[in-house]
Amino acid sequence: MNSSSGVVAGLDGCVVQEPDAARVAATRDRLVTPEEATRLAELFRLLGDPTRARLLYALLEAGELCVCDLSDAVEVTDTAVSHALRLLRTAGIVASRRAGRMIYYRLADAHVRMLLDLSREHLRETG
């Protein structure tokens, strides 16, 4: 409780209702646009599925795998793997290459690898 005004502030609220205009303006200048925020939310929604997450970590560890190898590695059906890979490929998270009749999948780029590595490291630190 603020003793001078009798106002009770929540644990995550502001006691003083006077925003720092310079800090707010500087933050707004660096903030993601609404369009970028939408794309980020869609990306994290794709990564938020346990099967897709396991597929991505399988690709992170192996480098490149075909559908049947991924299916065996994460213990889900070929159909489920194919569907997940289609979504991930469309989003630019995985890439593929054809070798004869086989298609091999890999993480699209170093940014995806870094995102997965940092996410796993964060999980390990937070328990």
Side-chain angles (χ1 to χ4, degrees), residues 18 65 68 79 84 86 104 117:
E18 296 175 25
L65 293 168
C68 59
T79 303
R86 189 175 323 110
Y104 293 92
D117 280 338

Side-chain angles (χ1 to χ4, degrees), residues 7 14-16 22 25 47-48 50 57 77 100 106 108 110 112 121-122:
V7 175
C14 292
V15 175
V16 179
L47 300 177
Y57 279 100
T77 66
R106 66 185 180 284
V112 175
E121 185 176 324
H122 176 72

Side-chain angles (χ1 to χ4, degrees), residues 1-2 7-18:
M1 180 181 289
N2 183 329
V7 175
V8 176
L11 293 176
D12 57 355
C14 292
V15 175
V16 179
Q17 292 296 318
E18 296 175 25

Side-chain angles (χ1 to χ4, degrees), residues 46 49 51-52 55 67 70-71 76-91 94 105:
L46 273 174
D49 175 80
T51 298
R52 289 191 293 263
L55 290 170
V67 170
L70 279 165
S71 176
V76 296
T77 66
D78 287 1
T79 303
V81 170
S82 293
H83 176 70
L85 289 171
R86 189 175 323 110
L87 293 171
L88 294 168
R89 192 178 66 240
T90 300
V94 299
Y105 293 88

Side-chain angles (χ1 to χ4, degrees), residues 90-103:
T90 300
I93 298 169
V94 299
S96 63
R97 75 171 177 88
R98 181 177 290 276
R101 294 178 54 201
M102 297 293 292
I103 299 176

Side-chain angles (χ1 to χ4, degrees), residues 17-86:
Q17 292 296 318
E18 296 175 25
D20 182 332
R23 290 186 79 182
V24 170
T27 300
R28 282 186 181 155
D29 288 344
R30 293 186 303 269
L31 199 60
V32 296
T33 66
E35 294 79 18
E36 289 172 320
T38 298
R39 290 180 61 208
L40 281 167
E42 290 169 359
L43 170 66
F44 283 111
R45 200 171 300 120
L46 273 174
L47 300 177
D49 175 80
T51 298
R52 289 191 293 263
R54 293 191 73 216
L55 290 170
L56 291 171
Y57 279 100
L59 292 173
L60 178 68
E61 295 303 324
E64 187 176 71
L65 293 168
C66 66
V67 170
C68 59
D69 289 344
L70 279 165
S71 176
D72 282 352
V74 299
E75 300 173 310
V76 296
T77 66
D78 287 1
T79 303
V81 170
S82 293
H83 176 70
L85 289 171
R86 189 175 323 110

